[in-house]
Amino acid sequence: MTDSSLLETRSQLPNTGFRFMTPAKLLGSLVGIFVISTIVFSTLYGVEKTRKITTTVERALPFTTTTNDVCLTPYCVKAANYLLESIDETVEPCEDFFHFSCGTWIKNTRIPDDVSAQSNFNLLRTQLDYNVVDLLSSPPANDANEPKAVVNARRFYNSCIDDTEIETNGVNTILLLVNTEFGGWPILQGSSWDNSTFDLPDLLFQLRKYYSNIIYRVDTAVNEENSTVHNIEVGQSNLALGQKQYYASETNVTIAYRQLIRELANALGNDTSMIDQDVNDIFEFEKNIAKYHWTNDEQRARFNETVRTTVGNLSFTFNTTFDFTDYVRRCYLLGNVTLQDTDIVAVSEVEYLNNISLILKQASPRTIQNYIVWRFIMGATSLMSQQIRNIRQRFDRIFHGTNAERPRDVECGSLTNAYMGFAVSKLYIKKYFDENALNESIEMINNIQNTFLEMLNESTWMDAESKVKAIEKAKTMNQHIGYPDYLGSDNNTKLENDYAEYNFNSSYIRNALKILEINVKKSFQLLRKPVDKNGWGDYSAPSVVNAFYEPSKNQISFPAGILQTPFFNKDAPKYLNYGGIGVIIGHEITHGFDDTGRQFDKDGNRIPWWTDETIKKFNERKTCIINQYSNYTVTQINMKGDGNLTQGEDIADNGGLREAFFAYQKWAANNKNVDNRLPGLQKYSSEQLFFINYAKSWCIKMTNAHALNRLRTDVHSLGPTRVIAPTSNFDQFDRAFGCTPGQGNSRKDKCIVW
């Protein structure tokens, strides 16, 4: 969770603002009588449009299609429809597989005003968001005795949609907190602010009560050298604009950022005498901090500079006038944890910490106080009145490319799900998760995991010693699928214990602040608790559209929320499932062996366990990936990707595609004549449809601001690259579509790690 957690949930859980219909209504809408009759007519009589790529595609088909080869079940008709509405056959797949697979969808898709991009993931998240709204807003069944955790999730949601209460109390509650606990926000007080009471450690401590890691980060994490216990982490915090590149030169973003501070100060205060000067000082202060801020790829590359010490020796570890020892001790008292001198501390970004200490020493108390409180105010805008949220929206329009707030009920449903995900999931899995899908998804995961084991065994660049250990790690990888068992049980003890402190009333802002305080307390209390290797992480609740690999647990998780169309459906032909969720499964497995995951052994300890020779060979292959991805241009904004930043996800994308494809081939060989073609798409082989559905997963249309923001800050490559790069490295893609290496979507020198 980020510092501005109440704010950032919005960007983490993008939403389209489009209300999904129920599956039955959606099916009826998508495949009406006209569509069905047209497809069936095309199936029976071979009526097809003449397309540019017909020769290429048909050349790859292994046999002639008959009506007996076509799947006409309701799901197959639905799947055919969404693929037909996506493919652009005027584009040659061997030249640009992304626009071949997504071109028509892109032309016909509009980006809703309340998001900065539209994609399959966003659409599925939107569907889930509206499902959550329906669950939380609908009264429980007459005979239902709901767990207290669920009752409080409903209370939190209801307080969040209470606009009247927010308009009445939101601003005043925040300002009262700022003035009574934080020492005021000088920009609102003009020259009357008294700097004689300024106390930096106390200010940071008071803000840390509400999950605000500002300037410095103090948290609990799994001890990377002994994954059975936790340790303390100290390092840099984040920047308001995410990455330091935004501060390097004057742009429309930096102008809008300063305007955001100015407008919020004007709206919240009456004394405007020093606002302009304060705004400039705040920005220049953060700009100086940004010079020393480590980017994501720098953190990845410089991990070995992390210093491991103890609480007792912390003050001797790096050169700073800030008393970290006292600050860390005070922070952990928020969780009623008294630190011992022998408690382990992992200190990262030491160079940043030293330089920021000098910046703080040279800055005025007014500037520091203004900046730190500003970061809290920026994160709290979503808690306040519509006027304040409108000011924030004007900034988001520039930074993210969004033109409107999400509907309030959707925003509140997402927040409730983010903070009380397992309580929400108690309702979600009962109504929306198909239990029959569990066995099939488990079978797919096992098939893909076995395929990866075969790929490891056949690897020619790993020496025997490293290979044996890698195979052992892959075999012991823990699986979480759907939801934890206790959520499906009538025994609610664990759920109630986990949310015992979540007792809410009608005040949204007080409920939100209480959640932040609870999360801080729980985070610090983890230090004295053993690592639950089999537990579901706090942010991998079943009611999310995502998948995870946790290196410290050597664990893959596939929550119920992602086990849905178009990624997975129990009635879908297997080539669609393997090309959808199958690639995601392979992606998460491969994370255990990407540039970061490969540093953790089978028990989740970050220790050397490969030979130097194998590491050297891995780095050579990794470098090929980095160079390849750094040479792709995002034409929309005419900027190249950063292969160093995205290398882990890129390695996982390439490995996941290969593992899922080979697993499907093996399944198809053992289950002949089971998978039929799709109506209207029968000129495509099942292997071609595997790749088409894979590409469909990453169709995206985005604003320029979104593309720029993602390119600078996201460890994932953008959608077009996630389609083109892995397929261009895969000779089985060339074979399926009859591509010649050297064409736009087929590399001659393919980059292969796994």
Side-chain angles (χ1 to χ4, degrees):
M1 186 176 295
T2 59
D3 293 336
S4 305
S5 51
L6 286 169
L7 165 69
E8 298 304 329
T9 301
R10 177 174 183 174
S11 60
Q12 290 168 0
L13 297 172
N15 193 281
T16 65
F18 173 76
R19 180 178 288 275
F20 269 66
M21 294 174 281
T22 63
K25 290 183 179 178
L26 184 60
L27 178 62
S29 175
L30 291 177
V31 288
I33 295 175
F34 175 76
V35 175
I36 294 176
S37 61
T38 301
I39 292 176
V40 172
F41 181 83
S42 174
T43 301
L44 296 177
Y45 296 100
V47 177
E48 296 179 356
K49 295 182 180 179
T50 302
R51 305 287 190 178
K52 173 183 176 182
I53 66 148
T54 299
T55 302
T56 302
V57 172
E58 289 183 347
R59 185 170 65 241
L61 297 183
F63 53 85
T64 302
T65 304
T66 70
T67 55
N68 293 330
D69 298 319
V70 180
C71 175
L72 293 175
T73 65
Y75 185 83
C76 284
V77 175
K78 175 182 176 180
N81 192 67
Y82 74 66
L83 291 179
L84 284 167
E85 290 181 343
S86 186
I87 295 171
D88 181 357
E89 291 183 321
T90 66
V91 177
E92 167 61 57
C94 293
E95 293 295 337
D96 183 350
F97 193 57
F98 175 76
H99 283 97
F100 164 77
S101 301
C102 302
T104 300
W105 181 89
I106 292 172
K107 291 173 186 175
N108 295 329
T109 294
R110 172 188 167 274
I111 302 173
D113 288 340
D114 58 347
V115 296
S116 56
Q118 187 63 293
S119 67
N120 268 323
F121 266 96
N122 283 12
L123 287 167
L124 193 51
R125 283 169 175 162
T126 299
Q127 177 179 328
L128 186 143
D129 286 342
Y130 277 106
N131 289 343
V132 168
V133 168
D134 289 341
L135 290 169
L136 294 174
S137 59
S138 301
N142 293 333
D143 59 344
N145 184 18
E146 290 192 323
K148 187 179 177 182
V150 173
V151 171
N152 276 296
R154 292 187 188 276
R155 285 178 182 166
F156 181 81
Y157 170 79
N158 288 328
S159 72
C160 182
I161 61 173
D162 187 350
D163 288 327
T164 301
E165 194 278 335
I166 294 170
E167 291 295 321
T168 302
N169 299 316
V171 170
N172 291 336
T173 303
I174 288 294
L175 292 181
L176 181 65
L177 181 66
V178 167
N179 292 325
T180 58
E181 293 193 28
F182 305 158
W185 194 20
I187 197 172
L188 302 183
Q189 299 168 253
S191 59
S192 66
W193 183 72
D194 182 7
N195 66 11
S196 66
T197 61
F198 175 73
D199 185 336
L200 176 61
D202 189 65
L203 174 62
L204 292 175
F205 170 74
Q206 294 299 332
L207 280 157
R208 191 64 185 86
K209 292 178 182 178
Y210 303 99
Y211 224 102
S212 296
N213 271 312
I214 299 173
I215 298 182
Y216 302 126
R217 174 175 55 86
V218 176
D219 258 323
T220 306
V222 175
N223 185 325
E224 293 191 341
E225 293 185 356
N226 178 5
S227 63
T228 64
V229 298
H230 295 91
N231 63 202
I232 302 163
E233 283 193 346
V234 171
Q236 71 178 20
S237 183
N238 60 8
L239 299 168
L241 299 180
Q243 292 292 313
K244 65 183 182 182
Q245 296 97 316
Y246 279 110
Y247 301 85
S249 60
E250 184 76 308
T251 64
N252 62 337
V253 170
T254 55
I255 294 171
Y257 180 51
R258 291 199 299 273
Q259 185 64 20
L260 173 64
I261 306 172
R262 184 178 294 108
E263 288 188 22
L264 284 174
N266 276 315
L268 295 173
N270 296 318
D271 188 341
T272 62
S273 59
M274 298 183 68
I275 285 181
D276 287 340
Q277 183 61 50
D278 282 339
V279 168
N280 288 332
D281 289 346
I282 289 170
F283 181 76
E284 289 302 318
F285 178 76
E286 187 169 33
K287 185 176 180 180
N288 284 335
I289 290 177
K291 292 177 184 177
Y292 302 102
H293 201 268
W294 292 23
T295 61
N296 291 335
D297 44 334
E298 286 172 336
Q299 289 174 311
R300 182 188 297 268
R302 300 171 65 179
F303 166 78
N304 289 335
E305 296 180 32
T306 296
V307 176
R308 298 184 64 80
T309 184
T310 62
V311 170
N313 290 325
L314 184 58
S315 60
F316 307 108
T317 303
F318 47 97
N319 182 27
T320 173
T321 57
F322 185 79
D323 190 345
F324 272 103
T325 303
D326 181 68
Y327 178 58
V328 171
R329 287 185 186 275
R330 291 182 69 190
C331 285
Y332 273 85
L333 287 175
L334 292 171
N336 298 317
V337 175
T338 300
L339 294 183
Q340 308 297 320
D341 284 348
T342 54
D343 285 326
I344 302 297
V345 185
V347 185
S348 56
E349 300 92 37
V350 175
E351 180 185 357
Y352 165 91
L353 298 176
N354 288 334
N355 283 306
I356 298 313
S357 178
L358 295 175
I359 291 175
L360 288 167
K361 189 175 182 180
Q362 296 167 1
S364 70
R366 181 183 184 91
T367 297
I368 299 172
Q369 178 85 15
N370 259 331
Y371 172 71
I372 292 175
V373 176
W374 155 244
R375 290 297 303 278
F376 176 81
I377 292 289
M378 184 180 179
T381 52
S382 64
L383 301 178
M384 293 189 273
S385 64
Q386 188 65 57
Q387 177 195 9
I388 301 301
R389 300 202 302 270
N390 287 343
I391 293 171
R392 174 59 193 256
Q393 179 55 47
R394 287 196 283 274
F395 169 74
D396 287 343
R397 185 175 296 122
I398 304 298
F399 190 56
H400 294 296
T402 55
N403 292 311
E405 275 193 304
R406 286 199 296 175
R408 187 66 190 175
D409 58 348
V410 175
E411 179 76 5
C412 293
S414 293
L415 285 169
T416 308
N417 195 21
Y419 290 125
M420 301 186 71
F422 290 91
V424 172
S425 294
K426 180 73 175 179
L427 300 174
Y428 179 82
I429 61 174
K430 184 176 182 180
K431 184 170 182 178
Y432 292 106
F433 187 62
D434 185 352
E435 294 291 340
N436 295 323
L438 266 180
N439 289 337
E440 184 168 334
S441 57
I442 290 171
E443 180 185 349
M444 284 185 64
I445 292 172
N446 290 336
N447 289 347
I448 294 169
Q449 196 166 18
N450 288 334
T451 297
F452 182 68
L453 285 168
E454 292 174 6
M455 292 167 62
L456 277 176
N457 198 44
E458 294 169 2
S459 168
T460 58
W461 57 270
M462 299 186 79
D463 58 37
E465 179 183 346
S466 301
K467 185 182 295 187
V468 167
K469 292 179 180 179
I471 290 173
E472 187 178 9
K473 177 177 180 177
K475 283 182 176 180
T476 58
M477 194 171 280
N478 190 18
Q479 301 176 4
H480 280 169
I481 306 165
Y483 58 87
D485 290 341
Y486 74 86
L487 284 184
S489 167
D490 292 332
N491 186 340
N492 296 313
T493 303
K494 176 171 173 50
L495 185 68
E496 299 289 44
N497 288 340
D498 288 346
Y499 292 106
E501 296 183 69
Y502 291 67
N503 296 304
F504 300 127
N505 56 31
S506 61
S507 172
Y508 168 58
I509 190 165
R510 295 190 184 281
N511 292 340
L513 292 172
K514 184 172 187 175
I515 282 182
L516 295 181
E517 290 184 276
I518 291 170
N519 285 345
V520 168
K521 181 179 178 181
K522 290 169 66 176
S523 172
F524 290 137
Q525 288 176 342
L526 275 179
L527 185 66
R528 297 289 183 245
K529 296 180 179 180
V531 175
D532 182 1
K533 290 293 186 104
N534 295 315
W536 285 62
D538 287 343
Y539 307 112
S540 59
S543 50
V544 297
V545 180
N546 214 329
F548 308 91
Y549 173 75
E550 177 54 58
S552 64
K553 297 180 179 180
N554 193 25
Q555 178 185 93
I556 50 176
S557 299
F558 305 98
I562 200 169
L563 297 174
Q564 299 183 64
T565 304
F567 302 110
F568 174 81
N569 189 286
K570 65 180 178 60
D571 297 323
K574 294 298 188 293
Y575 51 76
L576 295 182
N577 281 343
Y578 276 89
I581 195 66
V583 178
I584 294 172
I585 291 168
H587 174 104
E588 300 306 332
I589 291 172
T590 308
H591 267 315
F593 303 86
D594 66 14
D595 64 307
T596 298
R598 66 101 188 150
Q599 298 180 50
F600 292 80
D601 68 7
K602 67 180 179 64
D603 297 316
N605 298 316
R606 195 166 194 163
I607 57 175
W609 58 287
W610 281 6
T611 64
D612 290 342
E613 183 62 26
T614 291
I615 293 173
K616 178 183 177 182
K617 295 287 183 62
F618 173 87
N619 286 337
E620 290 172 358
R621 290 169 176 261
K622 179 186 76 172
T623 300
C624 182
I625 291 283
I626 292 172
N627 292 338
Q628 176 189 359
Y629 279 77
S630 295
N631 280 312
Y632 284 115
T633 298
V634 181
T635 56
Q636 184 172 341
I637 54 176
N638 195 30
M639 290 180 64
K640 288 188 179 295
D642 181 354
N644 283 299
L645 174 64
T646 61
Q647 58 182 292
E649 298 296 334
D650 299 335
I651 291 170
D653 279 347
N654 280 265
L657 181 67
R658 294 166 60 83
E659 292 152 34
F661 181 82
F662 290 136
Y664 171 68
Q665 277 192 322
K666 181 178 291 185
W667 179 91
N670 294 326
N671 296 271
K672 296 184 184 299
N673 302 319
V674 173
D675 261 358
N676 290 330
R677 312 259 182 126
L678 294 181
L681 293 164
Q682 55 266 47
K683 67 181 175 181
Y684 296 106
S685 70
S686 35
E687 291 184 351
Q688 288 172 330
L689 287 169
F690 166 95
F691 288 111
I692 290 171
N693 201 46
Y694 161 71
K696 172 66 176 168
S697 299
W698 301 113
C699 292
I700 188 169
K701 188 171 185 176
M702 52 196 161
T703 64
N704 290 347
H706 178 91
L708 178 62
N709 192 281
R710 283 277 310 276
L711 200 66
R712 285 180 168 173
T713 64
D714 201 333
V715 295
H716 302 83
S717 293
L718 291 172
T721 306
R722 297 189 79 167
V723 173
I724 292 170
T727 52
S728 73
N729 285 327
F730 197 15
D731 55 5
Q732 295 293 331
F733 172 82
D734 292 345
R735 185 190 61 77
F737 285 93
C739 303
T740 302
Q743 288 184 268
N745 212 109
S746 177
R747 290 172 60 87
K748 286 184 178 179
D749 299 318
K750 300 188 185 301
C751 297
I752 301 173
V753 179
W754 302 109

